[in-house]
Amino acid sequence: METATQQVLNQSDLLKHWKGHRMLTRKLIEAFPEQELFTYSVGGMRPFAGMVMELIAIGGPGVQEIVTGQTEELNEHLAITTKDQLLQKWDESSELIQTYFPQIPAENFGNAVTTFGKYKGTVWSSIFYFIDNEIHHRGQGYVYLRALGIEPPYFWDR
């Protein structure tokens, strides 16, 4: 008996899924008052702007590195001091993802990579880490907004 193999998720679907997360995280950034975005924290965690700078430093540059093979050190300490600057960098990082992600050959997703010169995994595991890390930090942002008395965007509104 011959069994057909069906792909559950293709590269285009994964990119669409990630872009949905990126749009939602952008809405969360927009929901923050400017000052609290850079100063408010709970339980000793970083302000949300610091978390977003980490995400900016990882997502776009990480995918670009996977495609080009050019390694750069992870730099999440960006000279950003306003919400507009943060959103501009967010959009630039999202554009890097949009540009480079489709250039990853499907057969390379299982290949071993070392991102930022030190994080070993596969293309798949690296991309899933980029997405999971964004979801994790966005969850922290939701807590911050609720603690500030601000209704965050619905988590399914992607």
Side-chain angles (χ1 to χ4, degrees), residues 33-129:
E34 179 117 15
Q35 180 177 349
E36 285 79 1
L37 181 60
F38 291 89
T39 61
Y40 187 77
S41 72
V42 173
M45 293 188 297
R46 295 175 285 176
F48 190 58
M51 296 176 200
V52 172
M53 286 185 233
E54 175 189 317
L55 299 174
I56 290 169
I58 290 174
V63 172
Q64 183 177 10
E65 181 180 332
I66 288 168
V67 171
T68 66
Q70 296 175 342
T71 300
E72 292 191 22
E73 191 173 314
L74 179 64
N75 177 19
E76 60 189 82
H77 304 290
L78 308 174
I80 296 174
T81 58
T82 69
K83 185 195 293 193
D84 285 343
Q85 290 172 335
L86 192 66
L87 288 167
Q88 180 182 349
K89 286 293 189 188
W90 183 259
D91 292 344
E92 290 170 8
S93 180
S94 294
E95 187 58 37
L96 284 175
I97 294 166
Q98 178 62 42
T99 299
Y100 284 98
F101 190 92
Q103 295 180 41
I104 304 169
E107 62 273 10
N108 288 5
F109 276 80
N111 290 358
V113 293
T114 302
T115 54
F116 304 105
K118 57 178 148 182
Y119 304 107
K120 295 182 184 294
T122 62
V123 172
W124 276 118
S125 68
S126 297
I127 290 170
F128 282 134
Y129 173 79

